[in-house]
Amino acid sequence: MTHPLDKGGGLAQMIATSMPGFAYVFDHTTKRIIYFMGDPEITLGYRRDEIESMGPDLIEHLVVADDLPLLTKDMQEFRASANDGEVRGLEMRVRKADGGTLWVWAARTVFERDADGNVASSVGTVTDISLQKKTEAHLAAKEKLLRASFNQRHQYWGLLDTQGTVLEVNDVVPAFEDVPKSDLLNRPIWTTPWWSRQPTYADRLQEAIERAVGGQLDSFEVVQRWKDEKLSIQEFSVRPLENDDSKVMHLLIEGHDVTQLRRAE
């Protein structure tokens, strides 16, 4: 039955025009797309009739070869075990009409079943996620670079939330604190072993955290006695990390040895 709002098919056309990507009905027996909603040419560069003309070789023609085994397995499992109303999907790369490739999110749900109860056809959507994948790759590269810097020697680095709780530390911090890394995470930094044994320094650290939460960089020095009884002077700073709206989201605590510098003064 046609909904009163969909006079003349206008509602369906509006949905098709505004939706990201396109929707389709896929016949799992003939391996053909038998219905489209939306325009695949906008996403893939192929007209509907061009896709229909690919026939049962549609998947092999469109999907990048390295991703075919994953899609084939996914479709076999979907046809054999998908429940009515269940939505399944996967990320994969497809070839465009101009020879380029793009990442898409392909989601599907059961439309019709055959006499044996297996999925005969499914309703699916294809959405371009290339920008998202590019962003993820960029962030992964930045994280790799940051982690390499984070673990450089002789530099104490820790990531805190705005309450001063330790979220992450580099490899130098456990050595400084003389405890396993697991004993440092998810607790206020001033309650960790080294700081808690130095109440004056712990108080100063809390002051620096309060200033950083307020948007100010603060720094101070402490004297560290190591296992071999040697003393060193460590300079610590706590800096705010802001989002695009200039709201402080995290704090970065850094420490480095300034012993030689102070002796030379």
Side-chain angles (χ1 to χ4, degrees), residues 167-194:
L167 303 177
E168 184 61 88
V169 295
N170 71 344
D171 296 339
V172 175
V173 180
F176 180 89
E177 295 265 7
D178 195 26
V179 294
K181 180 178 178 178
S182 58
D183 289 352
L184 303 173
L185 302 179
N186 303 312
R187 58 189 294 184
I189 189 169
W190 57 86
T191 69
T192 57
W194 189 87

Side-chain angles (χ1 to χ4, degrees), residues 106-127:
R108 68 187 69 83
T109 191
V110 177
F111 184 55
E112 295 177 316
R113 294 184 179 275
D114 59 24
D116 297 323
N118 293 320
V119 178
S121 61
S122 58
V123 177
T125 59
V126 173
T127 306

